[in-house]
Amino acid sequence: QAKAAGGGCIKLYDPELEADLRYRQALERDLRLAIENSELDLDFQPIVDIATRETVGYEALARWTHPIHGEVAPGIFIPIAEETGLIVGLGALILELACAAAITWRRQQIVSVNLSPAQLRRHDLVEQVVTVLARTGLVPTRLELEVTEGLLMDDSEQVRNTLQTIRLLGIHVALDDFGTGYAGLGYLCQFPFDKLKIDQSFTRKMETDTGSYAVVKAVVALGQSLGLQVIAEGVETEAQAAMLLAIGCLQGQGYLFGRPVSAFEVPS
Ligand code: C2E
Ligand code: MG
Ligand code: MG
Ligand code: MG
């Protein structure tokens, strides 16, 4: 890819870009192997009732430790998986690991699993989910699937039907990173969600930025009037927790309540 250089010329060869590209290709190859060999892992982050601090669920977050490069952030490998189609196999592995872990939790909390749009567009998603539930023995009501707004933009009948079937099975559906996408509010009624997760970018600034505070407050009110549960992501301070409770946001997730931990560290 050409990159603009100083002096108005176009540089046709950029060793740095070339190195980036090679690194990415190597990561893609290694990710494929990691998925085949089930080398990915999950961390679990508590989702709490803000008032009582009781853990009501855990979000499963994908982790990949590369043999040479060490921990690769999901922000890096998830997009690679999405662009290359590897997300389908990766998603299946994550779902299996998440349900298998949740079955061991004595307090029977909900496990939330992130789904990529590519997974939802697949016709066999429902079948895959049902198979994993049967194999692990997890009841559908203990599984929650998190989807992002990008998906709604397709506005496809097929995605709507898939989500509808998932809901009918008793599985929860949450709209993740709410407020960061471009989907219109109309989608909220057209798709069968039962939870809204307010993106951490709003939570983080709500103490200092009146605009962010207003957004959080409005989303909570919107959720209430639509009968949806609202969860604030990225809660890091007691002040944020207090503000959230004051405006009626009952659930939260963030470093204040607990960082993502390995399956072994989830209290049983
Ligand atoms: P997400 O689904 O919105 O997950 C929340 C992210 O916020 C996690 O980052 C979590 O570690 C981080 N976080 C939680 N509390 C706090 C806080 O108080 N402060 C700050 N600064 N950050 C907090 P992580 O694990 O790096 O994951 C990033 C994103 O990668 C996720 O965002 C999700 O979109 C994606 N992802 C992770 N695992 C999966 C997966 O299994 N499948 C798919 N499709 N996407 C995944
Ligand atoms: Mg999520
Ligand atoms: Mg999120
Ligand atoms: Mg987020």
Side-chain angles (χ1 to χ4, degrees):
Q1 201 184 330
K3 191 181 174 184
C9 336
I10 298 292
K11 232 161 121 187
L12 289 175
Y13 174 77
D14 182 331
E16 225 172 275
L17 270 183
E18 173 77 22
D20 275 0
L21 188 68
R22 283 231 207 95
Y23 174 66
R24 236 188 100 91
Q25 283 168 343
L27 272 188
E28 181 188 329
R29 182 198 60 211
D30 297 343
L31 182 59
R32 189 181 303 274
L33 285 173
I35 295 166
E36 278 168 18
N37 301 326
S38 301
E39 283 166 7
L40 287 125
D41 231 329
L42 289 179
D43 270 357
F44 295 91
Q45 186 179 31
I47 296 170
V48 308
D49 176 309
I50 300 178
T52 63
R53 301 293 155 99
E54 185 198 349
T55 298
V56 295
Y58 288 95
E59 179 173 3
L61 295 159
R63 299 291 180 254
W64 180 29
T65 308
H66 187 281
I68 296 159
H69 308 298
E71 283 239 338
V72 184
I76 305 279
F77 72 82
I78 295 288
I80 294 179
E82 284 173 340
E83 284 158 32
T84 54
L86 289 173
I87 194 69
V88 175
L90 187 150
L93 174 62
I94 298 294
L95 188 67
E96 182 91 38
L97 291 173
C99 294
I103 202 76
T104 69
W105 301 339
R106 204 170 39 84
R107 314 231 350 243
Q108 309 210 343
Q109 294 98 336
I110 284 177
V111 64
S112 286
V113 177
N114 293 286
L115 282 194
S116 285
Q119 289 175 272
L120 262 146
R121 289 191 196 108
R122 289 194 50 115
H123 294 270
D124 59 356
L125 178 73
V126 170
E127 195 189 310
Q128 190 189 72
V129 171
V130 167
T131 306
V132 170
L133 288 174
R135 195 159 48 217
T136 57
L138 192 76
V139 289
T141 49
R142 287 190 56 207
L143 177 63
E144 175 165 279
L145 298 176
E146 297 190 3
V147 305
T148 50
E149 281 176 87
L151 170 90
L152 312 182
M153 312 278 293
D154 302 4
D155 195 22
S156 87
E157 192 66 33
Q158 192 251 322
V159 167
R160 204 188 312 269
N161 287 340
T162 300
L163 285 176
Q164 202 70 254
T165 310
I166 284 171
R167 275 297 303 276
L168 285 173
L169 288 168
I171 297 164
H172 307 269
V173 181
L175 185 52
D176 201 1
D177 303 337
F178 186 65
T180 58
Y182 305 95
L185 292 177
Y187 290 107
L188 283 182
C189 331
Q190 288 164 36
F191 290 86
F193 299 112
D194 39 18
K195 289 184 192 172
L196 290 182
K197 298 189 78 171
I198 302 177
D199 191 67
Q200 56 184 44
S201 58
F202 300 107
T203 314
R204 192 183 312 134
K205 289 188 288 181
M206 70 182 292
E207 287 169 84
T208 50
D209 174 44
T210 50
S212 298
Y213 174 73
V215 169
V216 174
K217 209 173 154 190
V219 173
V220 172
L222 181 68
Q224 282 170 347
S225 52
L226 289 172
L228 307 174
Q229 279 183 29
V230 179
I231 301 171
E233 301 191 83
V235 183
E236 294 187 351
T237 69
E238 286 292 351
Q240 290 163 353
M243 283 175 106
L244 288 164
L245 270 187
I247 57 178
C249 180
L250 305 181
Q251 293 188 358
Q253 180 180 351
Y255 296 165
L256 175 67
F257 310 121
R259 291 185 175 253
V261 294
S262 71
F264 311 104
E265 294 165 87
V266 172
S268 60

